[in-house]
């Protein structure tokens, strides 16, 4: 006689978050966390055109659209987010402090 296979049900370790929970978490990371990281790393020392809450989303959304965007598309994304900057102003953010800011935001996003 052939044995009968019983389905195995494995309990989930944690329930899947709702879309609202994910949206709330991403908003927190792209605003509050980005702002804190920008100031603590020296990426933003005083707010002029860019704040942490505009620098990080500009890069994130531009890179979602084009994986390796040039400065012009980055400036267009910044403008779409309400920050009118030149490509040269963006270029000035690509320094160790800007990279450190992004590392902190990414670390917060994945924890």
């Amino acid at each position: 006689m052939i044995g009968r296979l019983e389905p195995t049900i494995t309990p989930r370790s944690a329930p899947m978050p709702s879309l609202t929970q994910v949206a709330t978490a991403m908003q927190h990371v792209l605003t509050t966390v980005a702002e804190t990281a920008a100031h603590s790393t020296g990426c933003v020392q005083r707010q002029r055109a860019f704040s942490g809450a505009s620098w990080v989303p500009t890069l994130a959304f531009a890179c979602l659209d084009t994986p390796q965007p040039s400065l012009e598309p980055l400036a267009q994304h910044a403008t779409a987010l309400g920050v009118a900057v030149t490509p040269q102003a963006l270029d000035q953010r690509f320094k160790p402090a800007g990279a450190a800011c992004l590392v902190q935001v990414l670390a917060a996003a994945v924890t």
Side-chain angles (χ1 to χ4, degrees):
M1 177 178 225
I2 299 176
R4 183 174 167 185
L5 295 175
E6 294 294 325
T8 306
I9 299 174
T10 308
R12 292 184 184 184
S13 59
M16 198 158 109
S18 71
L19 186 57
T20 303
Q21 290 169 315
V22 171
T24 301
M26 288 305 298
Q27 183 176 18
H28 174 71
V29 167
L30 292 175
T31 56
T32 306
V33 172
E35 203 60 44
T36 301
H39 286 284
S40 71
T41 60
C43 178
V44 173
Q45 295 175 350
R46 61 188 182 282
Q47 186 172 337
R48 286 190 176 174
F50 268 119
S51 67
S54 57
W55 163 246
V56 173
T58 293
L59 292 178
F61 297 137
C63 290
L64 283 173
D65 189 37
T66 305
Q68 294 181 343
S70 64
L71 293 173
E72 187 61 40
L74 285 170
Q76 292 170 357
H77 276 275
T79 300
L81 291 171
V83 182
V85 294
T86 64
Q88 295 77 18
L90 276 164
D91 191 40
Q92 293 174 2
R93 298 282 178 202
F94 289 103
K95 305 228 186 283
C101 174
L102 294 174
V103 166
Q104 281 189 17
V105 172
L106 180 60
V110 298
T111 56

